[in-house]
Amino acid sequence: MTINSFDYIIVGAGTAGCVLANRLSADPKTSVLILEAGGKDNYHWIHIPVGYLYTLGNPRTVWCFKTEAEAGLNGRAIDYARGKVLGGCSSINGMIYMRGQARDYDQWRQMGNAGWSWDDVLPYFRKSENHYGGADDMHGADGEWRVEEQRLSWEILAAFREAAAEVGIPRTNDFNRGDNEGCGYFQVNQRRGVRWSAAKAFLKPALQRPNLKVLTHAQATRIIIEDGRATGLEYLHDSKPARAQARGAVILSGGAVASPQLLELSGIGQGGLLQQHGIAVRHELPGVGENLQDHLQIRLVYKVSNTRTLNRRANSLLGRAAMGLEYALFRTGPLTMSPSQLGAFAKSDPGRETANLQYHVQPLSTDKLGEDLHPFEAFTASVCNLRPESRGSIHIASPDPLRQPHIRPNYLSAAADRTVAADAIRLTRTICAADALAPYQPEEFRPGPTVGDGEGELVKTAGDLATTIFHPVSTCRMGYDSQAVVDERLAVHGIAGLRVVDASIMPTITSGNTNSPVVMIAEKAAEMIIQDGR
């Protein structure tokens, strides 16, 4: 068995892992090992932005997880893609640059997590950022995380933006200044029409450092714990067992699915659950795998007339050829598309303190992302509840590290979430009935005009239509109550030399796309780890 020793071992070369690898290896005296269970990011559809259509269900690029059957989804089990490649989810996601709201982080601080308020975290967002507009009090320009405007436009999206303004959702040009309420175009993590992943931004510039070792196809199987301290890691490299020792710390950056799974496989979690699977309890920590939160999107589809959308263009051989040529020559056009171009943040009812709904509006429609587009012109207005009250869980299904854990998001189990879902559909219908969209004769295709506006009917419809927007968080929650897994410095309670740095540590889900908050979390964590010297 191969045994090597490093100062830090990072499990997972996803978004957080890439940032950590860069920052921790910047000191040439510090040795870093980063393990990625997936492969290299050399698949061409990773880099062409519209390629998300070909990565989400592809075992080359994602763990093809599925949830358990969900009561709130009327008994459906849904796909739960997570990145399985260098860059992790930043290599397959929608590329939307979104921080969330100042309120999110202020609430983290109010929950007892010192150093995590909006004013505390803003410098870390700015540190990484390379914003196309240059630096100001809210944006940075000297970092690695490139943020650009999109390189295409659609008439129907401009009309939707005007319709939103008609019903009281103001126009905005920047969702990332602390209050994201309004309607505007998403800024994206791209560089000149090409996806800009965490692997490109943070990992690849550090690969020539002799003190950084990167292993792909390396599946972590167990954290080694001796006398209450994490001292190393067992893993499979190309299916062969290996072990590495950590002089400083083992850092889990596998995300909201893999990090709690590895903790449980290592004997850290709910004692009763571990014993059911024949795993010796090394440390009782009941919050491991609990508190799962996710954004559930309801995808409403409207047929339109008198305009062009992507549907017919993509279904035409000539149209596809023209799109390919435009991208090859200019890096513009539909192949530069993120899954959503237009966004809106709104309140489901006027009594809300801040926007609690997010729209992802797309000039296309399909029964399922990755499948053929519909043969008629249409747009999709996907809407999600930003702050769900429902809580789920992720727990091992077996002591076998290669077996998928049980994923139970428990969508729409909270009554408040069901009310928000119904209100979200009603608001979408109001927007689509506004005068600005009238020239395009929007016709509700899904759920359809036969579905009424009563809450019970709309909740059932939400259960039929809704799916994840791929933002699972909080399964190793930061805090100090009985369900917390890590403290404010992201050290695992009760185990020395062990940290978790990824979306799983969020006390509550952020009000928007979660990828760039993970970059911030890793920036802050790297600084704390260096300060602590372990």
Side-chain angles (χ1 to χ4, degrees), residues 90-107:
S90 74
S91 291
I92 63 162
N93 70 1
M95 296 159 282
I96 293 171
Y97 181 71
M98 187 65 59
R99 296 171 174 175
Q101 298 171 1
R103 174 191 183 278
D104 300 332
Y105 305 99
D106 289 342
Q107 184 181 39

Side-chain angles (χ1 to χ4, degrees), residues 35-53:
L35 305 178
E36 170 53 47
K40 295 181 179 179
D41 59 340
N42 53 6
Y43 183 43
H44 67 283
W45 282 121
I46 290 174
H47 309 290
I48 300 172
V50 81
Y52 69 88
L53 293 169

Side-chain angles (χ1 to χ4, degrees), residues 105 107-117 120-121 478-480 487-490 524 528:
Y105 305 99
Q107 184 181 39
W108 290 8
R109 174 63 186 90
Q110 291 160 11
M111 295 169 71
N113 299 294
W116 290 93
S117 71
D120 292 322
V121 303
M478 173 170 59
Y480 293 91
D487 64 19
E488 64 198 30
R489 299 187 77 77
L490 308 190
K524 183 171 170 58
M528 293 189 295

Side-chain angles (χ1 to χ4, degrees), residues 31 33 45 164 175 189 280 283 286 294 298 316 332 356 375 390 439 499:
S31 59
L33 170 66
W45 282 121
F175 289 124
N189 294 119
H283 181 55
D294 191 12
I298 308 169
S316 156
T332 59
N356 69 313
S390 301
R499 305 219 188 197

Side-chain angles (χ1 to χ4, degrees), residues 299-301 425 429 444-451 458 461 465:
R299 296 175 57 81
L300 282 78
V301 174
I425 296 173
R429 287 174 163 175
E444 187 176 306
F445 174 71
R446 183 166 291 128
T450 60
V451 175
L458 292 179
T461 291
L465 296 181

Side-chain angles (χ1 to χ4, degrees), residues 182-332:
C183 186
Y185 294 96
F186 290 124
Q187 295 166 6
V188 291
N189 294 119
Q190 293 182 12
R191 185 179 290 278
R192 295 185 292 275
V194 177
R195 176 190 292 276
W196 195 245
S197 69
K200 289 180 183 174
F202 299 100
L203 185 62
K204 292 191 177 177
L207 287 179
Q208 300 308 311
R209 296 173 183 169
N211 58 325
L212 174 63
K213 185 178 182 67
V214 181
L215 295 181
T216 54
H217 303 292
Q219 173 72 54
T221 57
R222 188 174 70 93
I223 304 160
I224 302 167
I225 301 169
E226 298 175 329
D227 298 323
R229 182 179 185 86
T231 60
L233 190 78
E234 293 179 355
Y235 60 98
L236 299 173
H237 185 217
D238 292 329
S239 302
K240 297 176 181 178
R243 176 183 291 192
Q245 295 176 337
R247 293 185 291 269
V250 175
I251 306 168
L252 308 190
S253 296
V257 176
S259 286
Q261 180 186 26
L262 184 57
L263 287 173
E264 290 182 340
L265 291 170
S266 306
I268 302 170
Q270 298 174 13
L273 173 69
L274 302 181
Q275 289 168 352
Q276 288 175 20
H277 293 291
I279 297 173
V281 180
R282 305 303 304 271
H283 181 55
E284 178 84 25
L285 208 53
V288 172
E290 294 294 322
N291 304 300
L292 173 63
Q293 300 163 50
D294 191 12
H295 288 145
L296 183 72
Q297 62 174 337
I298 308 169
R299 296 175 57 81
L300 282 78
V301 174
Y302 284 80
K303 292 182 177 181
V304 290
S305 304
N306 307 318
T307 190
R308 296 189 71 190
T309 67
L310 187 62
N311 283 13
R312 283 188 173 157
R313 194 172 177 186
N315 285 324
S316 156
L317 182 60
L318 183 61
R320 291 196 298 273
M323 289 188 294
L325 184 62
E326 181 181 2
Y327 185 78
L329 293 176
F330 307 111
R331 291 293 187 265
T332 59

